[in-house]
Amino acid sequence: MMRENTPENYSGLLGTVVAVQANYYQVRLDINQCKLLCTRRSLLKKIGQKVMVGDRVEVELEIEGERGAIAAVLPRKTELERPPVANANQIMLIFALEEPTLEAWQLSRFLVKAESTGLELCLVLNKLDLATEIQLQNWQKRLNEWGYEPVFISVAKNQGIDELITKLNNKITIFAGPSGVGKSSLINKLIPAATVRVGKVSGKLHRGRHTTRHVELFELPGGGLLADSPGFNQPSLNCKEYQLAGYFPEAKTALEKGNCYFSNCLHRLEPDCVVRGNWERYEHYLKFLEEAKSQQEILQQMPDEESNMKLKIKGSGEHYYEPKLESKKYRRSSRRERHQNLHEIYDNQSVNELDELADNF
Ligand code: GDP
Ligand code: ZN
């Protein structure tokens, strides 16, 4: 009989998956915090139950306790596709004030992408030591208007790190941000045992490596777990047009206070719109809206699940359709896979930093 999928029903050895490589899983056991190398019970494979890093799992010991097998996956609280992480609590978006100079458009794009995951969002601005007091105050004011309360830090000068640590304790956090902002330096600071290469060359050399999925969570001394996110280098906005306003706190606040005349308002030129206005990022909203629209159009042009019929022409010239399913090569692609393909096409700067990080351990 199937057990009901609630945590109380898992009385065995519980743990958290901290690394996945091929069919092996490293599980950190709750009982002693030790890591155990595990496989997955074939029943899970049969029912198509995937195991991701961040998953809470029930483990059965094998080979005198030296190995384990994952017998069950507990219900997930959250699930992120890219990077594939279960039960993440928050995204920590890291940018630098200078070197590279903080740029509103790029920051906005990352913020919108991060908001689209539905996870809590924490914005961190590094290299405080390179910014003037005026710059700092301007960004603080500007970002407050955008609806964010940034945490200013300097990894180099060890400023603001303690405040950051309190935000990471006992949580699963996804690190994201463009390269060069000091993410690796920060990870090294947070996890003294880590030796992540700083100032690494990323880009062309490593392209294509993201086919080998190797995801790992780094353990923080305070109990939290950290995942770097390779898919965030140049985030594409592949959301639906109507969803976009929900990813701008400014627009969300306006919609909490009042309603647009049309319930399906996209906040462009529609009459009696409560969102359209003179807020700084309205311009960003319009541009991202165009982008979302063209992304959706590209998606629609890709082979559809339903279009599995092939046009044939008889000798007589008569047209008819035949199912394509007889072709061995033909395989239905799910919407999710098509999204993934789009990522692959448009996210051309995507480098599997996670692979790289993991390789360095
Ligand atoms: P990543 O690409 O985001 O992982 O960035 P890295 O950690 O490789 O850092 C990029 C460069 O910024 C390196 O030369 C670091 O030494 C430097 N850096 C990192 N944090 C700080 C900081 O707080 N202040 C200054 N001035 N430089 C920093
Ligand atoms: Zn509107």
Side-chain angles (χ1 to χ4, degrees):
M1 204 179 78
M2 284 285 281
R3 277 178 301 179
E4 197 140 316
N5 208 11
T6 49
E8 305 80 65
N9 288 322
Y10 297 88
S11 52
L13 210 47
L14 294 180
T16 303
V17 178
V18 292
V20 174
Q21 191 162 33
N23 292 318
Y24 288 95
Y25 307 89
Q26 217 162 54
V27 177
R28 187 181 68 180
L29 299 174
D30 291 359
I31 191 167
N32 55 6
Q33 301 295 303
C34 285
K35 282 193 229 160
L36 184 71
L37 188 64
C38 296
T39 52
R40 175 174 63 149
R41 281 261 175 272
S42 53
L43 176 69
L44 291 184
K45 217 177 286 175
K46 256 185 227 147
I47 61 169
Q49 172 69 65
K50 241 176 52 176
V51 181
M52 304 165 83
V53 294
D55 262 330
R56 299 278 301 146
V57 292
E58 187 182 39
V59 164
E60 284 162 9
L61 293 178
E62 288 180 343
I63 322 178
E64 291 174 2
E66 282 175 24
R67 285 280 184 92
I70 296 174
V73 178
L74 275 64
R76 290 176 185 141
K77 294 194 186 94
T78 62
E79 186 182 324
L80 209 63
E81 202 177 324
R82 215 181 138 98
V85 178
N87 301 319
N89 302 96
Q90 58 183 355
I91 290 191
M92 195 166 264
L93 208 50
I94 300 151
F95 271 76
L97 286 154
E98 284 294 340
E99 294 179 23
T101 302
L102 187 54
E103 206 269 309
W105 277 100
Q106 192 195 29
L107 175 57
S108 202
R109 175 180 285 275
F110 273 79
L111 285 169
V112 167
K113 185 73 186 178
E115 291 281 3
S116 75
T117 63
L119 297 177
E120 288 285 315
L121 175 51
C122 174
L123 176 60
V124 175
L125 298 180
N126 186 28
K127 309 202 187 181
L128 182 58
D129 54 295
L130 299 179
T132 64
E133 187 61 33
I134 303 276
Q135 267 178 314
L136 206 71
Q137 283 171 8
N138 285 345
W139 273 113
Q140 174 107 49
K141 183 168 171 291
R142 210 169 158 188
L143 291 167
N144 285 350
E145 282 164 11
W146 292 13
Y148 297 100
E149 192 66 63
V151 180
F152 292 99
I153 65 161
S154 167
V155 177
K157 294 272 167 11
N158 215 12
Q159 288 170 293
I161 306 296
D162 290 342
E163 189 193 342
L164 205 67
I165 289 173
T166 60
K167 289 182 184 289
L168 296 167
N169 281 345
N170 303 313
K171 289 201 174 132
I172 298 183
T173 305
I174 313 278
F175 259 32
S179 57
V181 299
K183 274 181 293 159
S184 314
S185 311
L186 181 58
I187 293 173
N188 284 333
K189 175 138 287 184
L190 295 170
I191 313 166
T195 46
V196 183
R197 226 179 326 141
V198 171
K200 64 186 177 290
V201 186
S202 63
K204 285 182 188 141
L205 267 179
H206 302 284
R207 259 176 216 168
R209 286 185 61 198
H210 51 272
T211 44
T212 54
R213 272 266 165 258
H214 174 161
V215 182
E216 185 166 358
L217 291 176
F218 299 110
E219 294 177 72
L220 294 161
L225 294 166
L226 205 69
D228 199 5
S229 68
F232 268 85
N233 279 357
Q234 190 60 271
S236 58
L237 306 174
N238 55 345
C239 63
K240 303 234 165 58
E241 286 169 274
Y242 71 87
Q243 293 174 311
L244 191 63
Y247 306 151
F248 283 83
E250 308 94 311
K252 259 184 12 195
T253 309
L255 287 165
E256 275 159 19
K257 288 187 195 148
N259 293 314
C260 296
Y261 180 78
F262 291 112
S263 60
N264 61 352
C265 186
L266 287 178
H267 324 302
R268 286 175 296 197
L269 298 167
E270 296 91 335
D272 291 329
C273 170
V274 298
V275 170
R276 184 177 59 238
N278 60 351
W279 43 289
E280 188 197 346
R281 288 205 302 162
Y282 181 58
E283 202 191 334
H284 298 190
Y285 169 76
L286 290 179
K287 183 164 178 280
F288 295 159
L289 194 66
E290 282 307 308
E291 218 173 290
K293 190 172 166 226
S294 42
Q295 288 266 8
Q296 287 302 311
E297 280 166 6
I298 292 168
L299 256 186
Q300 268 150 27
Q301 281 162 17
M302 294 180 96
D304 197 76
E305 270 153 2
E306 275 66 53
S307 70
N308 53 357
M309 303 292 275
K310 200 173 177 181
L311 181 66
K312 293 250 172 165
I313 304 169
K314 277 187 184 168
S316 59
E318 192 188 331
H319 291 62
Y320 70 104
Y321 287 90
E322 191 177 81
K324 278 183 190 167
L325 293 169
E326 83 281 0
S327 156
K328 275 213 175 91
K329 277 189 200 149
Y330 183 75
R331 193 174 62 89
R332 280 170 173 233
S333 70
S334 69
R335 187 155 285 271
R336 175 180 276 221
E337 278 173 317
R338 277 181 282 153
H339 271 285
Q340 191 80 25
N341 288 342
L342 264 185
H343 272 301
E344 241 95 280
I345 295 164
Y346 289 96
D347 193 0
N348 60 0
Q349 283 197 17
S350 138
V351 174
N352 200 339
E353 286 176 9
L354 244 162
D355 262 6
E356 230 164 75
L357 280 171
D359 288 349
N360 281 313
F361 271 70

